[in-house]
Amino acid sequence: MKRSIAITNIITLTSLIGLSATLSVVPNNVLARDLIKIDGSSTVFPITRTVSDNFTRLEKGKTQIAVGITGTGGGFKKFCRGDTDISNASRPIKEQEKKLCSENGIDFIELPVALDALTVVINKDNS
């Protein structure tokens, strides 16, 4: 069974941890590769890009990381087909996506890495 990671970003209105720790928990079969493929949510992209840049620098370029932005649903489609190693998501994985992963032999760990919130602030002088 292929072991991978689904990274989720829970948005409080709707629904790889220190910043440098995200990719350090990538399974051994991914670390041994020359290329780690990540795709999914644009919301999680800035975190993943920063972590992947740091990881590549620490690895002295031995491991390359490709980070795409196809959105959460598109990222899960690629992930559950086995096309990517890590999936960024702005929501938890859906049951039908879990089923597709299972059918394709994808065993995953879901790791929430951030919480988003929207704050409405109104100046007391506004009427």
Side-chain angles (χ1 to χ4, degrees):
M1 217 180 235
K2 182 178 178 183
R3 191 164 189 91
S4 297
I5 294 178
I7 296 177
T8 58
N9 179 35
I10 309 302
I11 299 175
T12 57
L13 293 178
T14 60
S15 59
L16 260 158
I17 222 173
L19 195 58
S20 62
T22 304
L23 287 178
S24 65
V25 294
V26 173
N28 289 337
N29 67 327
V30 176
L31 287 175
R33 298 175 56 189
D34 294 327
L35 175 65
I36 297 172
K37 295 176 279 181
I38 305 171
D39 206 327
S41 170
S42 61
T43 304
V44 186
F45 174 79
I47 296 170
T48 304
R49 179 80 277 162
T50 300
V51 172
S52 67
D53 288 347
N54 289 337
F55 184 83
T56 300
R57 196 170 21 264
L58 286 171
E59 288 283 294
K60 297 182 170 115
K62 290 183 245 170
T63 304
Q64 297 300 308
I65 303 173
V67 183
I69 310 173
T70 59
T72 296
F76 275 133
K77 284 179 186 172
K78 288 181 176 184
F79 180 75
C80 294
R81 287 192 312 245
D83 296 339
T84 58
D85 303 300
I86 299 174
S87 185
N88 288 335
S90 58
R91 59 165 171 80
I93 190 168
K94 293 179 180 178
E95 287 304 315
Q96 68 264 24
E97 293 162 338
K98 288 180 184 178
K99 184 178 178 216
L100 181 59
C101 282
S102 178
E103 289 169 357
N104 289 316
I106 306 295
D107 184 23
F108 64 90
I109 301 167
E110 196 168 3
L111 299 172
V113 296
L115 298 175
D116 283 10
L118 201 56
T119 304
V120 178
V121 179
I122 301 172
N123 187 307
K124 64 180 179 162
D125 295 333
N126 287 343
S127 348

